[in-house]
Amino acid sequence: MSIIMNGKELSAEIRSELKKEVNRLKEYNIIPKLAVIMVGDDKASQIYVRNKSRACDDIGIQYEEYLLPSTIEEKELYSIIDKLNKRKDVNGILLQSPIPKHLNIDKAFQRISPEKDVDGFNPINVGKLSLGQDTFVSCTPYGIIKILEKYNINLEGTNAVIVGRSNIVGKPLAQCFLAKHATVTICHSRTKNIEEITQKADIVVVALGKSKFLKENMVKDGAIVIDVGINRDEQGKISGDADYENLKDKVSYITPVPGGVGPMTITMLMNNVIKATKEQML
Ligand code: GUN
């Protein structure tokens, strides 16, 4: 029988712990604050940003938003980031991606002070993660690790396959899995015969943004499937990157969409804002 991994429930559990943590900080007159910068009017980003603001409200984190026009110049964007870097009352800074093409996202992420980089996208923090040092782990990979821990899944010695090599999910997740002693393979759009690789996996993570890409014939019996995809069809119906209905009776564990990895991402962001706040107190 397969186990459906409930990210929504776990997220609520973690949030209730985070609320207690925020209340403890309030006893020292400290209220964590997150600043979010969004450039342009990407529709998906608007939803993500709104959800981040709601999560902050829910947990008791202060929230400040910078909605910048898509025509903004690099210099102006950097000046806003620099000011936020300097402000003592701002603990975390998040630049929502994507940003318009005339701006360089890598340089912009690098501009955010590593101590406030709650997304874990500054190269200093990316480097620390790859060296196995304490840092801000980017939120989706961190959420996946928390789900696996909740269900007592030990990655040591497992054959883990990640489909998708993004800087936001695939690459940092590979580092997290390595730290847990898995043997890690990353597949991507140029990989030949992906199914031959996924069929050998004990755990498959799909994070490529293609609805129902991972089919029943691509995984072995009893594999673990983690689905990072959030795809919307014309009717607005949400599906993941895994063909959930056909996989769910073949695998040992699977994350649903919605209600799996998705709810964990913002919760781990909240976790990182509180971590940043505590470290800045020292
Ligand atoms: N765009 C899509 N996902 C993310 C994320 O986790 N962080 C940021 N900053 N932008 C995103």
Side-chain angles (χ1 to χ4, degrees), residues 3-5 144-156 158 177 180 202-203 222-226 252-255:
I3 294 177
I4 314 300
M5 299 162 110
I144 293 171
I145 293 295
K146 287 283 175 196
I147 291 178
L148 294 171
E149 285 175 355
K150 172 74 184 175
Y151 287 86
N152 292 318
I153 292 167
N154 182 3
L155 291 180
E156 188 172 338
T158 58
F177 278 5
K180 297 265 183 193
D202 302 305
I203 171 164
I224 299 164
V225 171
I226 304 287
S252 56
Y253 293 86
I254 187 166
T255 59

Side-chain angles (χ1 to χ4, degrees), residues 232-243:
R232 248 172 247 271
D233 67 14
E234 294 90 53
Q235 283 79 44
K237 189 171 183 305
I238 290 177
S239 62
D241 289 355
D243 186 2

Side-chain angles (χ1 to χ4, degrees), residues 51-157:
N51 290 340
K52 284 167 190 175
S53 139
R54 285 183 182 157
C56 284
D57 270 357
D58 177 37
I59 288 169
I61 291 175
Q62 289 184 338
Y63 177 86
E64 214 171 277
E65 194 169 86
Y66 294 80
L67 300 178
L68 308 176
S70 58
T71 51
I72 194 166
E73 285 186 22
E74 194 171 59
K75 264 196 307 196
E76 286 176 81
L77 174 63
Y78 290 173
S79 142
I80 290 167
I81 295 175
D82 291 346
K83 280 186 194 135
L84 292 169
N85 281 339
K86 284 196 194 105
R87 271 176 54 189
K88 287 263 183 295
D89 65 320
V90 171
N91 306 104
I93 305 170
L94 181 147
L95 172 65
Q96 185 66 33
S97 79
I99 58 177
K101 292 219 162 25
H102 69 280
L103 301 167
N104 182 324
I105 190 86
D106 293 330
K107 278 166 68 186
F109 282 147
Q110 192 165 349
R111 196 86 183 189
I112 296 172
S113 156
E115 291 76 29
K116 298 188 178 182
D117 169 38
V118 285
D119 253 333
F121 293 161
N122 182 298
I124 300 261
N125 290 326
V126 175
K128 283 185 171 179
L129 184 69
S130 73
L131 294 170
Q133 295 175 9
D134 179 55
T135 183
F136 296 109
V137 179
S138 33
C139 308
T140 301
Y142 200 2
I144 293 171
I145 293 295
K146 287 283 175 196
I147 291 178
L148 294 171
E149 285 175 355
K150 172 74 184 175
Y151 287 86
N152 292 318
I153 292 167
N154 182 3
L155 291 180
E156 188 172 338

